[in-house]
Amino acid sequence: MKPPAPQNPLAQPISDGRRGWLGAGLRLASAGLLAAGLSGCVAVVATGVVAGALSITDRRTTGAQADDQAIELRAMARLSESMPKSDRSTFNVVAFNRIALLTGRADNESQRTEAARLVQKIDNVRQVVNELELGGEGGIGNYSRDVVLTTRVKTALLGDQRVNANAIKVVTERQTVYLMGLVSAGEADRAGRVAASIPGVRRVVQVFEVLPDDRIRQIDSILSSGGQAPESAGPRVVPARRSGDNPNAN
């Protein structure tokens, strides 16, 4: 998947909350469903494609954006080639600012650990956040529901004046919403609350890199004047979790 062209804002998934990103996301999610349905293979799909990041107001550098695209493609290829074949395993990799979020299902703890090791060895990966679960159900119903939840969370963030939705990537896996991005502490807390309030969300996992408020203001000022985002990296990510509006949602 090639990074979106900065010169066409209307083509960006997040820049126009009213059109564009949903249709593109549904098409890519359908491709993921096809991969997941292949019998006897390790299903490798990208569940974060429904809400990608905006290039022209993205707080990552253009180099980090390109690296993230490459990390996702290389990780999917490596997992598909190297992991044992199983009808029950799915591996999803989404990268943001060179941090790789690994979600999906593994057959056992050994497989879970090996998948993270393979992704960590990919060039430019700073950290792997391993959120693989053991066992559980997959199927079209779960994927379709996750697409809907991603859309609802993204829409809610776009409508909230206290967060910069363009700086946040939303990924949903089996009704767990993962939030990634370079944000302030206030934005992280507010985004987590917004996501947790969406009906059907079991829990929210914040995989944010939290930067000081003055650094966030500096980056946004540079971007608003047409400049390129400077290189930024927060401390090592420690996922923060909160229950969703309905932890027992089906």
Side-chain angles (χ1 to χ4, degrees), residues 31-149:
L33 287 176
L34 178 61
L38 294 176
S39 176
C41 298
V42 177
V44 182
V45 296
T47 55
V49 292
V50 176
L54 174 65
S55 291
I56 49 180
T57 60
D58 198 316
R59 288 170 178 165
R60 295 172 294 176
T61 65
T62 54
Q65 293 178 51
D67 284 346
D68 288 342
Q69 294 286 347
I71 287 167
E72 291 176 0
L73 292 172
R74 290 170 182 165
M76 289 189 289
R78 181 165 296 181
L79 290 170
S80 181
E81 293 169 358
S82 303
M83 295 302 294
K85 307 306 179 187
S86 169
D87 293 333
R88 296 168 298 179
S89 298
T90 59
F91 301 97
N92 315 306
V93 179
V94 177
F96 195 97
N97 206 35
R98 305 182 182 96
I99 292 177
L101 171 65
L102 179 59
T103 65
R105 295 175 294 130
D107 288 344
N108 50 57
E109 184 60 35
S110 176
Q111 190 181 76
R112 181 179 184 274
T113 301
E114 177 63 10
R117 188 188 70 82
L118 290 170
V119 175
Q120 184 66 69
K121 291 175 64 177
I122 293 171
D123 289 346
N124 298 315
V125 172
R126 294 167 45 214
Q127 179 183 349
V128 174
V129 178
N130 189 355
E131 290 290 319
L132 281 173
E133 297 184 359
L134 300 181
E137 297 180 357
I140 292 177
N142 281 328
Y143 285 108
S144 299
R145 184 165 48 198
D146 288 345
V147 169
V148 171
L149 286 176

Side-chain angles (χ1 to χ4, degrees), residues 6 23 28 49 61 69 99 115 162 165 168 175 191 194 223 229 243:
L28 287 170
V49 292
T61 65
Q69 294 286 347
I99 292 177
R162 284 171 282 185
I168 298 172
Q175 296 175 269
V194 169
L223 291 172
S243 295

Side-chain angles (χ1 to χ4, degrees), residues 185-244:
E187 286 177 320
D189 180 71
R190 181 59 186 170
R193 292 179 185 274
V194 169
S197 72
I198 302 302
V201 172
R202 289 182 184 273
R203 63 174 179 157
V204 176
V205 181
Q206 296 168 209
V207 195
F208 288 129
E209 285 187 270
V210 178
L211 302 179
D213 290 354
D214 57 350
R215 180 59 170 172
I216 291 294
R217 287 193 293 269
Q218 178 190 35
I219 296 171
D220 288 349
S221 176
I222 292 171
L223 291 172
S224 66
S225 64
Q228 296 285 333
E231 189 73 47
S232 300
R236 183 175 178 83
V237 170
V238 178
R241 308 173 193 276
R242 68 173 76 220
S243 295

